[in-house]
Amino acid sequence: MDLETFSPGSGRLEPRAALRSDAAALDLNGTWRFRLSPVADVPDDFIHPDYDDAAWDDLPVPSHWVLHGHGAPAYTNVVYPIPIDPPRVPDENPTGDYRRAFDLPEGWTGGRLRFEGVESFARVWLNGHELGFSTGSRLPVEYDAGPYLRPGRNVLAVRVHQWSAATYLEDQDMWWLPGIFRDVTLTRSTADVYVRASYRDGRGTLSYLEGPGTLGVPELGIEGLEPGAEVTVDVEPWTAETPRLYEAVVSGPEETVRLRVGFRTVSIEDGVLMANGRPLLFKGVNRHEFHPERGRAVPYETMRADVLLMKQHNVNAVRTSHYPPHPDFLDLCDELGLWVIDECDLETHGFGEVGWRANPTDDPRYADALLDRMRRMVERDKNHPSVIMWSLGNEAGVGRNLAVMADWARERDPSRPLHYEGDRSCAHTDVYSRMYASHAEVEAIGRREEDPLDDPELDARRRGMPFMQCEYAHAMGNGPGGLAEYQELFERYPRLAGGFIWEWIDHGLAHPAYEYAYGGDFGEPLHDGNFVVDGLVFPDRTPSPGLIDLKKVFEPVRFEFGDGVVRVVNHYGFTDLSHLRFTATVQVEGESLAELPLDVPATGGECKLPELPEGTEGERWLTVRAVLAEDLPWAPAGHEVAWGQALLARTEPWEHVATVAFNPVTPGEGGELVVGGCAFDAATGRLVRLFGTEVDGPLLDLWRAPTDNDRAAGLEERWRGLGLHRLTHRVDDISVGDELVVRTRVAPAATDLGMVATYRWTFDGGLRLLLDIEPEGNWRDPIPRLGVTMSLPGSAVDRVTWFGLGPGEAYPDTGMAARMGRWSATVESMQTPYVYPQENGHRADVRWAELGGFRVSGEPVFGLTVRRWSALELAAARHRPDLVAGERVYVHLDLAHQGIGTATCGPGPLPAYDLMARRATLRVRFDQP
């Protein structure tokens, strides 16, 4: 049957550019009639205009039928949900039949039916006449509707099969979501236009390669340019930082079309990727199209919100993983400024599970289909200045069909380099691309000291290429760690063109029971769990801590502090600092004393700080900020672009500890030891009352709820194997006097590893704890955390105020965006709502914190986490609603945490961030506020 054909389609018109035309068009989006069948072999009598579809359901177009109660979504990362037997498909093949009646305006003649995206195999009829079929889900297709249109009522019928021979080309780490999910239009536009606009030394060359009439650019005084002609004029260049566009008009006999022209040149010089003659550094993200209710049927407003969020977080580039996006998204990238790698709708990752046998990338029977996908992408998007590189696809192995695609693309558009990561030889590409290379490997590549290829000629060619990480720093759950270290390498070595974080958004589908669902939540027999939840923004597009960190790492302005001066360094590639306003703020203990303007030259450089006010006793911090001086299309005036901090002065209030007199600890009623309104259990030495508040603890704790990265690195398995989640506490000695000394051993069962923990409590108006920790045994692996846990009644703490890093969470290799200040938050808002619950919410370098009835101060600092559930309850949760506030509040005071890393895909924490068992001392003090 046709479903198993290698042909990409039939009856289709030649692909052409996406253009704005004044030709008449009918929007056929809206409510269609719909019927779902479990198999493909069903009668096609529904194609006739007089067919009675009264018993059918309504379905919005664009949409995915599985998100409207017809079947269910399914998620796989690598594996195919059908047997690998190309081009064959199962008999169980969900098949959606669509019908749409529409009235043709009076006087209408001719026209094309245009489908922007249908997954995965679509056959189309108009008034009972078959127009053809098409594959290539994320690419447009057009049919000539003219011969079959009728005055008045017309009926469009479409049959969509979920599985076909083309399915083997679309294994792209995402939800399987069939249906007509992009726009459907009847248009009388037939125009195709191809312009190329290059830039060099202040001059732009406009090459009008193809079009149906003359071209003009009124703003540049260009008129009547004929196809094949070229003109050079003075222009402002297009870059992602300065997205200057010029309106071009092509006037033909049948229609007038408009397009926006941006002048820029992409080149590779001495192995460095360049734009307009300057090195180009990608500070990028990978973006799947996704909406938590609509799947890949993403509204325009959401696309715009994505681009605005990217710009506001210092992202300058997008890789359209792993297919071309809706054309409106590229319009937004042109307008607001993002470099784009446009990726072909191709991935055959699941063939790696069978040793790449029968991989379509190397099967000549699939050559036409792969070339067809490349052609349709290039022809649609060829006029976009934001698109600076074509990608042949993703994780599709190697094979002869890559050469077919690359050769055609180079001939059609020699102005853009080619990208493909899956072939390490780079035989068909212009850049060397990798995924998840470690920091050490990235540095070796930056030095051109990477491991050689077997073929000396290919090896020499690859060493002469720019290098980019098309995916790195996997943003799954808590993390990613190591961002700053990657960025430092990208900036140090000219060969390194930066990279793209995986990925932009968590693909959690809205679900009534789980809030957001991931793989397996719809009963899929084969799935990859929460691996689809790996974004920098949560499903509702709330920025995660990872995105906040990324903004800091990607900052285009840096600050270096000296004695009375600050050096402002411009890290923009194509613009100066004249659009920014700079301020200096002095704070004492997080309270602002003054905010003063800074006079920074447009080129940056060293600036003398203004006279800073002296403060009262306490830590004095200087914060310098760069904000937008005026409104820009992507953010209002005052939007913060970059910041830096410097410590001006610090007092050490704990240094007098040795000279104070302590109140003695004495026996009290009910088997208690008491001092200064605090009480301990006489048998265990455990604190039970703190200034009138009932408490349990603090006790030495080594456990944290594992993160996605902990699990992927194998740490959770090792931690549970050691029993770190079920520690036992043994009291070896209690001595009472001016200080209460409690000597304990803390250890898991079934091992000889342990920690000797000695608690020394003193009271001098405040209750001070000095906890000495010493490991016993051969601890070989990193431990989750090192600190103490205590619990209080749930009503005791509602809001926490602290002086330390904030406002968000921070771990040893994350939290670059956390700044020193005084912060306040409810216990609920201190939680980071990861779709898959895990360790979160740790505030670092805390000097002091107020928690309801007491203040805890570090000597000098501690890490703080406050939750309404225990770490064990957090570790057991699988979805957000699993976490229900109990009757206790759990407070964690930490010396250290294991690093986060990016092991879900990529390396674990750098060795500097591994937390090994070691001798340590925690010093904290409790006071009444």
Side-chain angles (χ1 to χ4, degrees):
M1 58 162 43
D2 284 339
L3 290 177
E4 296 175 349
T5 179
F6 292 98
S7 171
S10 68
R12 305 170 305 162
L13 297 169
E14 285 294 301
R16 63 190 182 111
L19 298 164
R20 290 173 292 152
S21 171
D22 66 355
L26 282 179
D27 180 358
L28 297 181
N29 292 341
T31 302
W32 292 46
R33 302 295 285 164
F34 179 78
R35 175 186 67 186
L36 180 65
S37 302
V39 296
D41 189 15
V42 290
D44 60 7
D45 50 350
F46 76 103
I47 69 174
H48 300 297
D50 57 356
Y51 179 85
D52 183 4
D53 59 16
W56 289 23
D57 294 316
D58 288 340
L59 184 70
V61 170
S63 75
H64 304 279
W65 70 63
V66 293
L67 300 183
H68 290 268
H70 304 279
Y75 165 64
T76 62
N77 169 29
V78 175
V79 299
Y80 287 97
I82 62 173
I84 301 176
D85 185 22
R88 307 300 300 277
V89 295
D91 292 339
E92 299 85 2
N93 190 349
T95 296
D97 291 331
Y98 293 77
R99 283 172 53 87
R100 171 75 152 87
F102 62 93
D103 292 326
L104 203 64
E106 188 173 347
W108 183 293
T109 59
R112 296 177 170 207
L113 275 168
R114 183 177 178 92
F115 294 82
E116 294 290 347
V118 185
E119 185 172 335
S120 73
F121 181 108
R123 190 179 300 280
V124 180
W125 294 265
L126 179 61
N127 295 322
H129 299 278
E130 183 172 346
L131 302 184
F133 77 89
S134 188
T135 60
S137 297
R138 270 66 66 176
L139 291 159
V141 60
E142 289 185 325
Y143 302 97
D144 184 5
Y148 310 109
L149 288 169
R150 302 173 179 176
R153 183 176 184 269
N154 289 260
V155 176
L156 177 60
V158 183
R159 172 164 285 176
V160 179
H161 303 282
Q162 181 163 12
W163 311 126
S164 70
T167 298
Y168 293 104
L169 308 181
E170 298 178 0
D171 185 27
Q172 287 140 320
D173 184 11
M174 58 188 180
W175 292 99
W176 296 90
L177 300 174
I180 304 174
F181 70 97
R182 287 187 186 160
D183 308 293
V184 183
T185 311
L186 176 66
T187 177
R188 290 175 61 180
S189 173
T190 62
D192 189 15
V193 174
Y194 188 9
V195 299
R196 190 174 297 148
S198 61
Y199 177 82
R200 183 180 178 87
D201 299 329
R203 305 273 283 169
T205 298
L206 181 64
S207 303
Y208 180 27
L209 303 175
E210 298 170 10
T214 60
L215 181 145
V217 185
E219 187 178 354
L220 296 175
I222 298 172
E223 298 179 0
L225 205 63
E226 297 285 347
E230 185 174 277
V231 62
T232 299
V233 292
D234 292 336
V235 298
E236 299 173 50
W238 188 98
T239 74
E241 296 169 9
T242 57
R244 182 64 160 94
L245 295 170
Y246 296 88
E247 188 83 7
V249 181
V250 176
S251 303
E254 302 295 331
E255 63 182 304
T256 298
V257 299
R258 298 178 180 273
L259 65 156
R260 296 181 297 185
V261 175
F263 291 85
R264 90 287 179 276
T265 295
V266 182
S267 60
I268 296 172
E269 301 175 24
D270 297 325
V272 177
L273 183 65
M274 311 283 279
N276 301 336
R278 296 186 181 184
L280 176 56
L281 186 66
F282 292 129
K283 299 177 180 179
V285 296
N286 286 275
R287 176 186 177 269
H288 265 294
E289 292 185 304
F290 185 76
H291 186 281
E293 285 87 28
R294 303 178 185 225
R296 285 186 285 280
V298 181
Y300 176 83
E301 295 76 16
T302 304
M303 297 182 216
R304 186 174 183 87
D306 277 347
V307 176
L308 293 177
L309 265 180
M310 290 174 189
K311 294 287 292 185
Q312 291 163 8
H313 288 83
N314 296 329
V315 171
N316 74 0
V318 172
R319 174 177 172 234
T320 69
S321 54
H322 298 293
Y323 43 81
H326 192 288
D328 286 349
F329 181 78
L330 297 180
D331 287 339
L332 289 163
C333 294
D334 293 343
E335 172 192 336
L336 297 170
L338 288 170
W339 309 106
V340 175
I341 296 180
D342 203 358
E343 190 148 272
C344 191
D345 192 7
L346 170 64
E347 182 167 333
T348 66
H349 202 170
F351 282 86
E353 301 295 293
V354 295
W356 296 103
R357 291 187 299 275
N359 182 16
T361 308
D362 197 39
D363 185 339
R365 296 175 297 175
Y366 272 107
D368 288 346
L370 270 64
L371 177 58
D372 173 77
R373 290 170 183 242
M374 195 71 188
R375 287 185 65 225
R376 286 157 66 191
M377 174 180 71
V378 171
E379 297 297 352
R380 190 195 75 169
D381 299 340
K382 59 197 172 191
N383 296 313
H384 285 285
S386 59
V387 176
I388 61 165
M389 198 178 294
W390 303 117
S391 178
L392 304 181
N394 182 70
E395 294 176 323
V398 298
R400 68 196 82 181
N401 294 335
L402 294 175
V404 174
M405 300 167 73
D407 290 347
W408 178 87
R410 283 200 175 93
E411 182 177 355
R412 181 60 172 156
D413 178 25
S415 72
R416 292 178 173 97
L418 295 184
H419 168 271
Y420 178 67
E421 182 273 338
D423 182 358
R424 294 284 178 90
S425 77
C426 299
H428 309 295
T429 68
D430 301 302
V431 296
Y432 177 24
S433 178
R434 284 288 309 282
M435 293 181 181
Y436 308 107
S438 69
H439 299 83
E441 184 178 2
V442 169
E443 180 164 18
I445 293 170
R447 295 179 177 186
R448 302 187 190 278
E449 296 174 357
E450 65 264 35
D451 292 338
L453 295 169
D454 293 335
D455 185 319
E457 184 175 342
L458 284 175
D459 183 66
R461 180 175 178 271
R462 193 181 73 177
R463 286 181 194 275
M465 291 179 174
F467 174 80
M468 53 172 275
Q469 287 246 62
C470 66
E471 296 178 22
Y472 78 108
H474 195 248
M476 185 173 176
N478 188 332
L483 289 173
E485 290 82 0
Y486 272 122
Q487 191 65 25
E488 191 278 328
L489 292 171
F490 294 155
E491 295 176 5
R492 192 195 316 171
Y493 296 102
R495 184 190 187 188
L496 305 182
F500 298 79
I501 304 295
W502 186 268
E503 68 157 307
W504 176 242
I505 188 169
D506 285 346
H507 295 205
L509 286 170
H511 192 285
Y514 302 135
E515 188 172 359
Y516 293 112
Y518 47 77
D521 286 341
F522 295 97
E524 309 100 298
L526 189 67
H527 63 84
D528 284 295
N530 67 314
F531 206 73
V532 76
V533 179
D534 49 9
L536 291 164
V537 298
F538 297 132
D540 64 358
R541 286 175 162 76
T542 300
S544 76
L547 181 59
I548 307 301
D549 278 355
L550 193 69
K551 176 184 179 181
K552 180 64 178 169
V553 171
F554 282 175
E555 281 180 344
V557 182
R558 306 277 172 77
F559 304 99
E560 300 170 0
F561 295 91
D563 186 14
V565 299
V566 58
R567 184 167 179 263
V568 182
V569 183
N570 181 8
H571 279 262
Y572 285 106
F574 303 90
T575 190
D576 61 22
L577 307 180
S578 58
H579 64 293
L580 299 175
R581 176 171 56 84
F582 294 82
T583 62
T585 303
V586 177
Q587 293 181 320
V588 174
E589 294 289 306
E591 297 284 355
S592 292
L593 285 184
E595 180 172 300
L596 306 167
L598 271 185
D599 186 15
V600 177
T603 56
E606 193 170 278
C607 305
K608 190 176 187 309
L609 290 169
E611 192 70 27
L612 301 177
E614 293 295 327
T616 56
E617 183 176 322
E619 284 193 22
R620 298 175 66 238
W621 283 83
L622 171 67
T623 303
V624 177
R625 302 170 64 236
V627 303
L628 293 183
E630 298 178 350
D631 290 350
L632 288 180
W634 49 270
H639 167 78
E640 185 178 85
V641 173
W643 61 273
Q645 281 189 318
L647 177 64
L648 298 177
R650 180 173 186 171
T651 59
E652 309 291 356
W654 60 90
E655 290 181 344
H656 71 291
V657 170
T659 66
V660 301
F662 298 129
N663 293 22
V665 180
T666 59
E669 296 180 358
E672 291 184 343
L673 301 170
V674 297
V675 62
C678 302
F680 301 84
D681 182 279
T684 64
R686 187 176 300 183
L687 183 67
V688 295
R689 193 165 58 255
L690 183 61
F691 305 119
T693 299
E694 181 264 317
V695 299
D696 184 10
L699 292 177
L700 178 65
D701 196 357
L702 308 180
W703 177 252
R704 76 180 184 199
T707 67
D708 286 316
N709 287 300
D710 292 338
R711 281 188 285 271
L715 290 174
E716 179 186 18
E717 182 180 3
R718 283 180 272 170
W719 293 340
R720 288 188 182 276
L722 281 176
L724 299 185
H725 60 304
R726 47 174 175 78
L727 296 176
T728 61
H729 298 256
R730 185 186 73 214
V731 177
D732 289 337
D733 184 65
I734 298 175
S735 62
V736 181
D738 284 349
E739 61 178 1
L740 171 65
V741 181
V742 183
R743 293 180 175 85
T744 70
R745 188 175 191 273
V746 181
T751 176
D752 63 354
L753 301 178
M755 293 279 189
V756 174
T758 302
Y759 303 79
R760 300 180 184 275
W761 294 96
T762 55
F763 189 89
D764 62 355
L767 184 65
R768 175 174 281 109
L769 168 63
L770 187 152
L771 172 61
D772 287 321
I773 305 161
E774 184 168 356
E776 288 186 340
N778 186 14
W779 293 80
R780 297 179 179 179
D781 293 319
I783 59 176
R785 57 180 280 258
L786 188 61
V788 296
T789 298
M790 57 192 294
S791 72
L792 301 87
S795 60
V797 183
D798 177 57
R799 176 171 289 272
V800 180
T801 299
W802 74 98
F803 175 45
L805 292 179
E809 69 185 28
Y811 292 84
D813 53 346
T814 73
M816 287 72 69
R819 67 185 82 184
M820 190 58 59
R822 183 178 300 200
W823 314 102
S824 184
T826 64
V827 173
E828 286 71 25
S829 63
M830 291 183 75
Q831 316 311 307
T832 303
Y834 294 112
V835 171
Y836 191 103
Q838 56 198 274
E839 166 64 38
N840 73 89
H842 176 263
R843 269 59 179 184
D845 285 352
V846 175
R847 274 65 170 159
W848 54 258
E850 293 181 354
L851 302 94
F854 64 93
R855 170 189 276 219
V856 56
S857 303
E859 298 183 351
V861 298
F862 60 95
L864 173 69
T865 312
V866 185
R867 304 189 182 108
R868 295 199 183 276
W869 36 77
S870 70
L872 290 176
E873 290 170 328
L874 181 58
R878 294 296 176 262
H879 296 89
R880 291 182 186 177
D882 294 344
L883 293 171
V884 179
E887 296 180 355
R888 307 291 291 178
V889 168
Y890 296 85
V891 178
H892 304 271
L893 310 176
D894 289 325
L895 275 168
H897 263 264
Q898 166 68 4
I900 298 297
T902 180
T904 48
C905 240
L910 288 165
Y913 302 120
D914 278 336
L915 175 59
M916 307 306 295
R918 56 180 171 81
R919 294 185 65 176
T921 300
L922 174 69
R923 295 179 176 89
V924 292
R925 175 188 173 96
F926 301 92
D927 290 282
Q928 290 181 292

